[in-house]
Amino acid sequence: ASLIRSAGNALRKGSGSPSSAPSARIILRYYASQPPPERKPLSLLMKLNPLVSRLALYDIAGTPGVAADVSHINTRAEVSGYASEEQLGQALEGSDVVIIPAGVPRKPGMTRDDLFNINAGIVKSLCTAISKYCPDAIVNMISNPVNSTVPIAAEVFKKAGTYNEKKLFGVTTLDVLRAKTFYAAKAGLPAADVNVPVIGGHAGITILPLFSQAISSSDFLSRQESLSHEDVRALTKRTQDGGTEVVEAKAGKGSATLSMLWWINFRGCMSEGLNGAPDIVECSFVQSSVTELPFFASKVKLGRNGIDEVQGLGTLSDFEKEGLENLKAELKSSIEKGIKFANES
Ligand code: LMR
């Protein structure tokens, strides 16, 4: 689905209790030519989230209808819908968290980088508006190619003098969800019990799940030993190709959005970390000095103001070390492409 959604204004200042947390905003944006059915579930999930007290839905068309519909649900969030470019400023104003899944989705046979020409410009204009209307917002970037759109956002914010590296997140959580699910199925563990860090970036071989660091609250060690090197290699490949699996299954009608929505609502912008809970760690593609690359996905400790700490990679297996070296050239070139675009166009 081609959409932009932004959320904001909810999480950082509150004590964590729904009654004291400030308001939240979600802004949705879609291309009219490809109406994504998922915008309704997203709006619904956000309206059901007790941490959200204000929900702003934005699109170039159709948002007021969705906003009116969900606004009748008797939960906390006060909902408003904004349509047309002219209303973007109004939608963003006062936001504390902005979520951007803007632009077009992949079709079978395409790479995420094939979306660059369309999505890069959309991301750039949105980030320009963010720097104007909500310069202190935490920004969650979903728009692909994430490996380039996060650097674009950083450059736009730098130019505007509003860049805060602790508040810019490239969303790679789908990779983590996939790594956990595929690993748990192979190891015969309950999926909800497993955690697997995923490092690098969010495209093909730049996605590097660290199965050697997989942990489970139940019966883990003995199972891990039963996974062969071939199993780990196959799980890595499946995780790297997870987005493509969905794109192909949807046969031209979009890419993964429903699994992403789950994260958006429960683990992302609404996370306990941003709302003040301690020790919340998520993997995300962020400004980093963990490797020589300026942006890199690794475990990140969240706090009220965004990133509290970018954590190191831990001990890697030989297979993972090799994967890390192999991903660097592609990730570097995607980052540089984003920086160049932001500064030239
Ligand atoms: C995903 O990983 O599912 C998303 O990045 C969408 C895509 O094009 O794969």
Side-chain angles (χ1 to χ4, degrees):
S2 48
L3 61 160
I4 293 171
R5 29 177 154 33
S6 333
N9 200 19
L11 311 170
R12 296 173 300 126
K13 302 172 226 153
S15 66
S17 81
S19 58
S20 62
S23 61
R25 284 188 169 215
I26 303 299
I27 299 172
L28 311 179
R29 172 174 161 162
Y30 308 85
Y31 273 82
S33 58
Q34 298 176 308
E38 287 86 357
R39 65 179 159 182
K40 291 175 188 164
L42 172 63
S43 308
L44 175 64
L45 285 171
M46 297 310 302
K47 178 69 173 111
L48 298 181
N49 191 315
L51 294 173
V52 178
S53 60
R54 271 203 292 149
L55 181 59
L57 309 177
Y58 170 78
D59 194 348
I60 52 176
T63 1
V66 178
D69 193 350
V70 294
S71 74
H72 292 182
I73 299 168
N74 62 326
T75 54
R76 179 172 181 240
E78 182 193 306
V79 185
S80 39
Y82 299 91
S84 82
E85 299 286 339
E86 295 74 57
Q87 296 193 342
L88 178 59
Q90 242 180 303
L92 286 172
E93 199 122 50
S95 294
D96 281 347
V97 180
V98 179
I99 303 171
I100 308 179
V104 291
R106 287 198 282 161
K107 289 197 186 310
M110 292 171 81
T111 66
R112 292 177 181 84
D113 186 59
D114 291 335
L115 305 176
F116 186 96
N117 287 345
I118 296 178
N119 292 354
I122 296 169
V123 164
K124 191 177 174 192
S125 62
L126 272 172
C127 290
T128 305
I130 290 167
S131 60
K132 185 166 171 199
Y133 294 103
C134 51
D136 293 328
I138 289 169
V139 175
N140 286 258
M141 184 67 68
I142 296 174
S143 303
N144 273 317
V146 166
N147 292 354
S148 301
T149 53
V150 169
I152 291 173
E155 289 304 301
V156 170
F157 297 149
K158 277 182 204 165
K159 271 196 196 167
T162 63
Y163 183 49
N164 180 347
E165 74 276 11
K166 294 191 179 312
K167 292 189 171 183
L168 178 59
F169 295 84
V171 175
T172 58
T173 314
L174 270 173
D175 305 320
V176 178
L177 295 183
R178 288 170 181 147
K180 289 177 185 179
T181 303
F182 303 156
Y183 183 90
K186 192 76 201 170
L189 292 163
D193 285 358
V194 173
N195 204 358
V196 181
V198 182
I199 64 166
H202 180 63
I205 61 159
T206 72
I207 299 167
L208 184 61
L210 302 183
F211 290 115
S212 71
Q213 295 178 22
I215 50 167
S216 165
S217 48
S218 62
D219 189 23
F220 168 64
L221 285 173
S222 55
R223 309 264 187 163
Q224 188 195 31
E225 277 160 18
S226 70
L227 288 192
S228 67
H229 182 63
E230 279 324 302
D231 286 338
V232 170
R233 194 176 277 276
L235 287 172
T236 301
K237 176 93 176 82
R238 188 167 178 213
T239 304
Q240 292 171 334
D241 292 345
T244 306
E245 196 177 295
V246 179
V247 167
E248 279 168 7
K250 290 196 177 182
K253 294 221 159 51
S255 55
T257 48
L258 295 171
S259 44
M260 175 58 77
L261 301 189
W262 175 260
W263 172 77
I264 287 299
N265 200 46
F266 295 106
R267 297 298 293 165
C269 69
M270 300 296 116
S271 84
E272 305 91 330
L274 297 180
N275 212 32
D279 302 324
I280 304 293
V281 174
E282 294 282 342
C283 288
S284 184
F285 183 65
V286 298
Q287 181 174 312
S288 172
S289 53
V290 161
T291 68
E292 64 271 33
L293 299 172
F295 295 91
F296 198 82
S298 65
K299 286 197 223 166
V300 167
K301 185 161 174 261
L302 298 174
R304 280 185 191 279
N305 295 311
I307 298 168
D308 255 5
E309 182 194 7
V310 178
Q311 300 188 342
L313 303 184
T315 307
L316 307 188
S317 68
D318 288 346
F319 175 68
E320 291 159 356
K321 280 184 195 153
E322 192 189 323
L324 175 59
E325 288 316 307
N326 289 343
L327 69 79
K328 284 181 180 170
E330 181 180 327
L331 186 50
K332 182 169 184 278
S333 129
S334 301
I335 292 169
E336 284 170 355
K337 186 172 177 180
I339 293 174
K340 186 159 178 264
F341 173 85
N343 288 307
E344 276 180 356
S345 53

Short mmCIF file of all heavy atoms in Angstrom, two decimals, residues 106 112 144 174 178 202 243-244 247 255-256, ligand 1:
data_model
loop_
_atom_site.label_atom_id
_atom_site.label_comp_id
_atom_site.label_asym_id
_atom_site.label_seq_id
_atom_site.Cartn_x
_atom_site.Cartn_y
_atom_site.Cartn_z
N ARG A 106 6.23 -2.17 -3.50
CA ARG A 106 6.85 -2.97 -4.56
C ARG A 106 5.81 -3.83 -5.27
O ARG A 106 4.80 -4.20 -4.69
CB ARG A 106 7.87 -3.94 -3.95
CG ARG A 106 9.11 -3.31 -3.49
CD ARG A 106 10.18 -4.35 -3.33
NE ARG A 106 10.05 -5.13 -2.11
CZ ARG A 106 10.64 -6.31 -1.92
NH1 ARG A 106 11.34 -6.88 -2.90
NH2 ARG A 106 10.54 -6.94 -0.76
N ARG A 112 13.44 -3.05 -3.34
CA ARG A 112 13.02 -1.84 -2.62
C ARG A 112 13.65 -0.61 -3.26
O ARG A 112 13.03 0.44 -3.32
CB ARG A 112 13.39 -1.95 -1.14
CG ARG A 112 12.58 -3.01 -0.39
CD ARG A 112 13.04 -3.10 1.04
NE ARG A 112 12.33 -4.11 1.82
CZ ARG A 112 12.64 -5.40 1.84
NH1 ARG A 112 13.64 -5.86 1.09
NH2 ARG A 112 11.96 -6.25 2.61
N ASN A 144 10.05 2.74 1.88
CA ASN A 144 11.21 2.11 1.25
C ASN A 144 11.77 2.95 0.10
O ASN A 144 11.02 3.70 -0.51
CB ASN A 144 10.79 0.73 0.72
CG ASN A 144 10.94 -0.33 1.79
OD1 ASN A 144 11.92 -0.35 2.51
ND2 ASN A 144 9.95 -1.21 1.88
N LEU A 174 9.84 -5.41 10.96
CA LEU A 174 9.31 -6.55 10.20
C LEU A 174 10.36 -7.66 10.11
O LEU A 174 10.03 -8.84 10.16
CB LEU A 174 8.94 -6.10 8.79
CG LEU A 174 7.52 -5.60 8.58
CD1 LEU A 174 7.36 -5.05 7.17
CD2 LEU A 174 6.51 -6.72 8.82
N ARG A 178 9.87 -11.43 11.50
CA ARG A 178 10.05 -12.59 10.61
C ARG A 178 11.11 -13.54 11.18
O ARG A 178 10.92 -14.75 11.20
CB ARG A 178 10.47 -12.10 9.22
CG ARG A 178 9.33 -11.43 8.50
CD ARG A 178 9.76 -10.73 7.22
NE ARG A 178 8.61 -10.11 6.60
CZ ARG A 178 8.65 -8.97 5.91
NH1 ARG A 178 9.80 -8.34 5.74
NH2 ARG A 178 7.56 -8.48 5.38
N HIS A 202 17.59 -2.66 5.75
CA HIS A 202 16.28 -3.26 5.47
C HIS A 202 16.11 -3.51 3.97
O HIS A 202 15.25 -2.92 3.32
CB HIS A 202 15.16 -2.36 6.02
CG HIS A 202 13.79 -2.93 5.77
ND1 HIS A 202 13.36 -4.12 6.32
CD2 HIS A 202 12.76 -2.49 5.01
CE1 HIS A 202 12.12 -4.37 5.92
NE2 HIS A 202 11.74 -3.40 5.12
N GLY A 243 10.04 -9.89 2.88
CA GLY A 243 9.21 -8.87 2.24
C GLY A 243 8.80 -9.32 0.84
O GLY A 243 7.66 -9.15 0.42
N THR A 244 9.76 -9.92 0.13
CA THR A 244 9.50 -10.39 -1.24
C THR A 244 8.46 -11.51 -1.23
O THR A 244 7.60 -11.58 -2.12
CB THR A 244 10.83 -10.89 -1.85
OG1 THR A 244 11.78 -9.84 -1.72
CG2 THR A 244 10.66 -11.26 -3.30
N VAL A 247 5.23 -9.72 -1.07
CA VAL A 247 4.98 -9.00 -2.35
C VAL A 247 4.51 -10.01 -3.41
O VAL A 247 3.55 -9.76 -4.14
CB VAL A 247 6.27 -8.28 -2.81
CG1 VAL A 247 6.16 -7.81 -4.26
CG2 VAL A 247 6.57 -7.09 -1.89
N SER A 255 2.51 -4.69 -0.63
CA SER A 255 3.52 -5.41 0.15
C SER A 255 2.99 -5.54 1.58
O SER A 255 1.84 -5.22 1.85
CB SER A 255 4.85 -4.64 0.10
OG SER A 255 4.65 -3.31 0.52
N ALA A 256 3.85 -6.00 2.46
CA ALA A 256 3.40 -6.26 3.84
C ALA A 256 2.92 -4.98 4.50
O ALA A 256 3.63 -3.98 4.50
CB ALA A 256 4.55 -6.86 4.64
C1 LMR B 1 8.73 -5.50 3.94
O1 LMR B 1 9.81 -5.87 4.39
O2 LMR B 1 7.75 -6.24 3.92
C2 LMR B 1 8.58 -4.10 3.43
O3 LMR B 1 9.82 -3.47 3.38
C3 LMR B 1 7.89 -4.02 2.13
C4 LMR B 1 8.64 -4.67 1.00
O4 LMR B 1 8.63 -4.12 -0.10
O5 LMR B 1 9.21 -5.74 1.18
#
